[in-house]
């Protein structure tokens, strides 16, 4: 079983034909919440259990292109113990449970495809314990990253993961979110130290190192029935299986995460950002890969194609050159930044960069990033009445230039208006395409393009999703990416959630799996 | 369920009494390999299946203080496919399988406590594919870290994880190994990108992002029966459950890992090391925690108590001051090192450091580290005929000083000769105690000390094992550290290895578990 490597240029797309029917979509059985279940939940939560039509519709809608499938009821929970009660009530009738945070998913994670109860955690938004000495904070899952960083402002500490959207920490755990700063600070697997989670049978666990202060066990079975913890934690451990990282990225299919302990980073002494534009996309990406391969520290390295620059210029009233561009930011001491920034500028010039503009004041830097952060709305603004489709792939560095250039070409050939942005320091890029539901022919072309893009990424050793997760949108690609390993992922799913009540119909096509 | 925090000083040890019988050792049933099993293996492997007494004894012996329990046979495998065949033969008769690499475990991982077949992977020592552009290398599990780094010498790249022992990469995956450089480069979870593993039913999986080039599926069930992969990989992914990190640290209890793709780091432009000694241990540790909390980059930060310095001086004929000491190393550009090193010296002086000696030449640096690297043998050399016991805990930074100082005091009170070394940049420290099997009273005091040490670490939010794993030595502490979460770890174990043939009797007391 030695590897045959197929160069990207030739992939599009030989040999992927044999995938056949693995992952083909099949109908999922609906398990509507019964009147008894809803009445039991009502008794538990009172007014915080809603079945109003507008609330249901809102909870079936995220920022994705997927169809709206509202749940049968929405439970606005306020504590971990309440989540336990909700799960126990639902488990008794095999009613699906769909965790809901800020609704910013773009792969349909919150869609109630099998019916059931949406568990809205946005009311669990307490910042429970800041530990300055160990640079960590424990928060409830409904805290948003903007809320957390606002709260940390006076401490000199920050939570660095920035997926763009103002997602909740719980949602970011669910999809293993990352974003513009991941090239320096990592993703959720790097920055979440431990989790409190409610499992499919209602039991509460706390993952990660901690001290058990108190534990009650049933004498015959040694079953733990009650315990209490101190949750600082050590910086490393080799004790047992890594449930923290198993739950991160499991998209609500194994447990409802209710509390998260996060690693914090110091606010950097200084920050320096620049934007530079290139004649050709290839030159921009080559600059990026060279910077990375030389190991020059960057805190952010974002690529925008000319369509994005145009959209952002119009939307935010900016005046950037209409060419493929990179925004590069460094964090560190003033001294280090000077050195790093000048090396990067030199590399960029070697690749023909024009208009290198360094944001020297904090206002300039804010304006620069406000453009990048507005991309989603700026692009949709180009097509009145549109919704947005966002593709998300990541590829190895050595293949990044080819992958992006081929994708540009594919957009052109397909006659699609699409815009490419990328966290190129991670080899991760998105294609944003505005669309309207009434134009079926356009929708078809868009989906075919997306399919080719994913297969192109996979064929060069990349992933079908760099940071958005599988949800309902990428299910057919999981076996292409992981092969037989998916069977063992599903074995774990079945073992931890034997009734398939935890966000069913996401990640796996259950009826594809054999064990 | 809010946390009550117990200060270290008061822990020793309240409220841990309620743990009762959770984790108390019980007899494990022996499942000796039958004559038929051994004959089937002999047919498969010929001379590479050994039942000679000396080979069996060697494979039941590691560097730990645990009793020798030899396996019934040793299979010297040469390929992933052979591992599959061995597992299938053993699975047919529920015969245990114990993976064996270099035998450097110090928690009894390779002990055949339930009988069975030791699978020796040291012959699988091929370096399969170096990918310079993406800075990764794919190796067979039997490659040792020294072999790998010797092979990489001409490339400008290195594999940074350094547990001291010349372990195999497979063994390092099994225990989530780390070591002196982890403070900068991370542990095996940071540095292993993907794994090839043989599961308990003999199926081969490849974890991590990759491209499936070819896949054959059974048309009715969609069961994957054959596939081939390109295993570069993307730097990040949100696709499915994280099997890579689930298998890392699972100590052979879920699968036999046969190939590992590793992230490589560039050999630093320059390296600078220094040793400094302090009047009191507290000052040494306070220096360390201050350096870390100020975010000054260090590549290594090792603590040695005066006993270690003494042992090392005698063993390696060195002349270091007989005081608690820190060795600190920086990696980077010459410019950066100068700056970092002088800030650290200033901090050390603030805490009363004496004899700051900077290793300016590469020879000086080598001599400095050769002392640190010889600690194990140097300490054993102090007590003729002794074996070594190594305790391994990690605690949060804010508790490190107290934990180390209390541990020194405890050694003294217990009348034990013990030496403390620590990867203090990670809050991780070891106590090495030479012992002889015939002195039962000393053994008893040593074990009681170790028990108090672990409880002290747990009580302040630390872990019972920073890097050595659970094996058979720390099983009783896993429920203390993880509470009810252990039940779900065991659920995963049962689901992936329903016959309990993969390294049974490690990590969990099976008969403690209820589900």
């Amino acid at each position: 079983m030695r590897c045959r490597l197929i160069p990207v240029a030739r992939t599009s797309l030989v040999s992927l034909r044999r995938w056949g029917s693995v992952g083909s979509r099949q109908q999922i059985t609906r398990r509507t919440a019964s009147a008894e279940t809803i009445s039991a939940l009502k008794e538990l939560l009172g007014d915080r259990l809603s079945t109003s039509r507008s609330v249901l519709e809102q909870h079936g809608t995220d920022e994705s292109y997927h169809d709206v499938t509202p749940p049968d009821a929405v439970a606005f929970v306020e504590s971990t113990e309440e989540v336990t009660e909700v799960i126990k009530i639902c488990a008794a009738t095999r009613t699906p449970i769909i965790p809901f945070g800020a609704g910013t998913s773009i792969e349909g994670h919150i869609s109630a495809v099998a019916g059931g109860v949406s568990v809205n955690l946005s009311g669990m938004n307490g910042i429970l314990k800041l530990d300055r000495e160990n640079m960590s904070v424990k928060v409830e899952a409904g805290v948003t990253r903007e809320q957390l960083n606002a709260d940390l402002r006076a401490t000199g500490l920050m939570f660095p993961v920035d997926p763009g959207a103002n997602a909740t920490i719980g949602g970011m755990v669910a999809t293993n979110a990352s974003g513009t700063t991941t090239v320096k600070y990592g993703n959720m697997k790097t920055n979440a130290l431990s989790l409190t989670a409610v499992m499919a049978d209602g039991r509460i666990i706390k993952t990660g190192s901690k001290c058990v202060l108190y534990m009650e066990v049933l004498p015959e079975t040694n079953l733990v029935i009650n315990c209490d913890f101190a949750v600082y934690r050590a910086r490393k451990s080799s004790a047992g299986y890594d449930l923290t990282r198993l739950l991160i990225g499991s998209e609500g299919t194994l447990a409802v995460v209710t509390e998260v302990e996060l690693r914090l980073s110091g606010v950097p002494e200084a920050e320096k950002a620049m934007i530079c534009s290139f004649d050709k996309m290839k030159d921009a990406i080559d600059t990026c890969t060279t910077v990375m391969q030389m190991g020059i520290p960057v805190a952010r390295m974002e690529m925008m194609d000319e369509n994005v620059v145009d959209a952002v210029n119009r939307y935010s009233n900016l005046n950037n050159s209409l060419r493929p561009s990179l925004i590069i930011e460094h964090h560190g001491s003033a001294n280090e930044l000077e050195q790093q920034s000048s090396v990067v500028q030199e590399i960029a010039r070697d690749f023909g960069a024009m208009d290198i503009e360094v944001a020297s004041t904090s206002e300039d830097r804010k304006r620069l990033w406000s453009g990048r952060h507005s991309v989603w709305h700026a692009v949709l603004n180009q097509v009145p009445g549109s919704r947005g489709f966002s593709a998300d792939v990541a590829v190895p560095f050595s293949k990044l230039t080819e992958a992006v250039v081929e994708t540009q070409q594919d957009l052109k050939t397909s006659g699609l208006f699409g815009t490419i942005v990328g966290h190129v320091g991670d080899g991760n890029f998105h294609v944003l395409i505005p669309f309207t539901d009434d134009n079926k022919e356009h929708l078809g072309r868009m989906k075919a393009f997306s399919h080719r893009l994913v297969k192109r990424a996979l064929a060069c050793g990349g992933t079908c999703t760099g940071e958005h997760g599988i949800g309902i949108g990428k299910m057919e690609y999981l076996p292409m990416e992981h092969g037989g390993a998916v069977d063992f992922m599903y074995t774990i799913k079945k073992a931890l959630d034997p009734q398939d009540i935890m966000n069913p119909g996401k990640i796996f096509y259950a009826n594809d799996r054999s064990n």
Side-chain angles (χ1 to χ4, degrees), chain A:
Chain A
M1 223 192 247
R2 287 290 169 271
C3 306
R4 281 176 294 120
L5 303 180
I6 301 188
V8 178
R10 282 202 288 127
T11 55
S12 335
L13 288 127
V14 249
S15 72
L16 303 175
R17 232 166 286 140
R18 296 284 310 260
W19 284 335
S21 64
V22 171
S24 60
R25 180 162 306 185
Q26 299 181 30
Q27 202 62 42
I28 184 162
T29 316
R30 207 179 153 82
R31 286 176 266 153
T32 308
S34 68
E36 289 72 26
T37 303
I38 290 183
S39 130
L41 292 171
K42 194 95 200 165
E43 194 169 318
L44 175 72
L45 300 168
D47 284 353
R48 291 186 284 110
L49 192 275
S50 172
T51 52
S52 100
R53 189 164 164 171
S54 63
V55 170
L56 299 184
E57 295 243 318
Q58 180 221 333
H59 284 76
T61 311
D62 56 20
E63 294 185 1
S64 76
Y65 67 100
H66 299 289
D67 295 335
V68 178
T69 316
D72 306 319
V74 179
F76 292 86
V77 292
E78 291 185 347
S79 72
T80 301
E81 288 71 20
E82 242 175 36
V83 173
T84 289
E85 292 310 313
V86 169
I87 290 184
K88 282 185 178 164
I89 289 169
C90 289
T93 49
R94 236 193 122 218
T95 305
I97 289 143
I98 308 112
F100 188 99
T104 53
S105 158
I106 43 188
E107 287 301 352
H109 292 102
I110 54 98
S111 194
V113 289
V117 176
S118 182
V119 177
N120 185 315
L121 292 123
S122 62
M124 288 182 66
N125 64 351
I127 294 173
L128 302 180
K129 180 172 165 40
L130 172 66
D131 181 345
R132 286 176 193 236
E133 271 184 304
N134 296 301
M135 293 175 73
S136 69
V137 67
K138 192 175 172 203
V139 302
E140 288 185 311
V143 166
T144 68
R145 63 171 189 90
E146 288 182 5
Q147 178 199 346
L148 175 57
N149 276 318
D151 200 82
L152 291 172
R153 201 158 286 156
T155 65
L157 296 168
M158 65 175 187
F159 173 64
V161 184
D162 173 10
N166 187 23
T168 61
I169 300 299
M172 290 171 70
V173 164
T175 57
N176 185 25
S178 51
T180 59
T181 57
T182 294
V183 63
K184 180 177 173 76
Y185 299 95
N187 58 17
M188 289 306 284
K189 282 192 189 147
T190 328
N191 288 285
L193 299 171
S194 68
L195 310 172
T196 303
V198 187
M199 307 302 286
D201 60 1
R203 275 191 281 172
I204 298 166
I205 65 168
K206 313 216 176 186
T207 71
S209 292
K210 75 205 68 84
C211 170
V212 180
L213 296 178
Y214 170 91
M215 188 190 287
E216 266 183 283
V217 295
L218 285 181
E220 270 145 58
T221 61
N222 277 333
L223 177 63
V224 177
I225 51 172
N226 189 13
C227 54
D228 196 2
F229 300 84
V231 276
Y232 301 141
R233 77 158 256 159
R235 281 167 66 95
K236 69 183 198 190
S237 173
S238 286
Y241 302 162
D242 194 336
L243 297 183
T244 308
R245 289 187 175 100
L246 181 67
L247 294 186
I248 297 176
S250 67
E251 308 184 6
T253 63
L254 297 178
V256 176
V257 171
T258 56
E259 293 173 357
V260 186
E261 196 196 0
L262 297 165
R263 185 195 303 276
L264 298 175
S265 297
V267 172
E269 186 186 316
E271 302 175 324
K272 187 166 189 168
M274 67 174 114
I275 184 167
C276 46
S277 67
F278 298 82
D279 210 31
K280 287 190 306 239
M281 177 60 88
K282 182 178 182 316
D283 299 329
I285 308 283
D286 282 346
T287 298
C288 154
T289 53
T290 306
V291 167
M292 292 305 295
Q293 280 163 354
M294 286 179 64
I296 301 156
V298 291
R300 289 180 157 123
M301 183 145 59
E302 296 289 302
M303 173 271 284
M304 306 190 285
D305 75 357
E306 50 271 48
N307 288 337
V308 175
V309 177
D310 186 36
V312 163
N313 277 356
R314 288 164 197 251
Y315 187 78
S316 299
N317 203 14
L318 298 172
N319 198 22
N320 295 315
S321 306
L322 284 182
R323 281 192 288 261
S325 302
L326 289 178
I327 310 183
I328 299 171
E329 183 165 288
H330 302 277
H331 292 175
S333 72
N335 216 344
E336 287 164 356
L337 297 197
E338 203 50 60
Q339 214 180 348
Q340 291 161 4
S341 168
S342 72
V343 179
V344 171
Q345 285 178 48
E346 206 174 299
I347 296 168
R349 274 197 209 92
D350 282 349
F351 286 103
M354 294 168 279
D355 304 325
I356 300 183
E357 189 196 326
V358 178
S360 41
T361 68
S362 134
E363 280 67 42
D364 283 352
R365 217 173 53 78
K366 270 194 195 134
R367 205 177 53 241
L368 199 60
W369 283 114
S370 81
R372 170 63 186 87
H373 278 132
S374 71
V375 164
W376 182 257
H377 298 292
V379 170
L380 295 192
N381 208 43
Q382 300 278 82
V383 180
S386 65
R387 295 201 290 140
F389 165 84
S390 171
D392 165 38
V393 295
V395 299
F397 272 131
S398 58
K399 302 291 170 182
L400 183 59
T401 306
E402 282 167 84
V404 171
V405 170
E406 279 190 27
T407 301
Q408 277 199 311
Q409 190 53 51
D410 192 357
L411 277 173
K412 207 175 283 177
T413 315
S414 316
L416 287 166
F417 171 71
T419 58
I420 308 182
V421 291
H423 314 309
V424 280
D426 303 315
N428 183 201
F429 64 95
H430 305 300
V431 185
L432 308 181
I433 304 179
F435 71 97
T436 51
D437 289 305
D438 50 355
N439 190 340
K440 299 291 173 208
E441 187 277 333
H442 178 265
L443 262 175
R445 264 187 295 143
M446 192 175 85
K447 286 184 182 169
F449 161 81
S450 162
H451 191 67
R452 286 191 301 277
L453 173 63
V454 169
K455 293 220 277 190
R456 194 178 298 122
L458 289 178
C460 69
T463 174
C464 67
T465 174
E467 54 185 18
H468 295 167
I470 299 290
I472 56 176
K474 295 279 177 76
M475 286 161 71
E476 66 179 303
Y477 303 117
L478 193 67
M480 298 186 196
E481 185 167 332
H482 287 290
V486 179
D487 287 335
F488 293 97
M489 294 182 194
Y490 192 66
T491 301
I492 294 170
K493 162 72 176 173
K494 274 211 322 192
L496 296 182
D497 177 22
Q499 293 202 92
D500 192 27
I501 58 170
M502 307 303 273
N503 213 1
K506 315 292 159 66
I507 300 188
F508 309 101
Y509 292 117
N511 35 15
D512 278 353
R513 313 257 63 85
S514 59
N515 62 344

